[in-house]
Amino acid sequence: MKTETIIRTVVLAVALINQILAICGKDTIPLYESDIAQIITLVVTIGSTLWAWWKNNSFTHNAIKADDYKQHLDELEEMEHK
């Protein structure tokens, strides 16, 4: 996901939340440039954490061996298709 997309999404979410709060007669969220930067940093951190968690990361010896075996099988399959 591009940084610009994240920024637009955060700004849109804050604008929508502020609009809902205003309609309900509640105080809106006062935001400053530094607040937006912190929110964007938080969103990027959460996004990268989820991506790293989702990505197949092999830590154990058996998982690493399985990855090597799968790579070997992929190479054999590729050679068969040539």
Side-chain angles (χ1 to χ4, degrees), residues 44-67:
V44 169
T45 302
I46 291 170
S48 62
T49 300
L50 291 174
W51 179 79
W53 173 74
W54 184 262
K55 183 83 174 137
N56 181 17
N57 292 306
S58 300
F59 295 103
T60 66
H61 178 70
N62 285 339
I64 293 168
K65 281 175 41 179
D67 285 346

Side-chain angles (χ1 to χ4, degrees), residues 1 3-16 43:
M1 186 178 296
T3 304
E4 295 86 9
T5 303
I6 294 170
I7 293 169
R8 286 191 298 268
T9 303
V10 169
V11 170
L12 176 62
V14 170
L16 288 171
V43 169

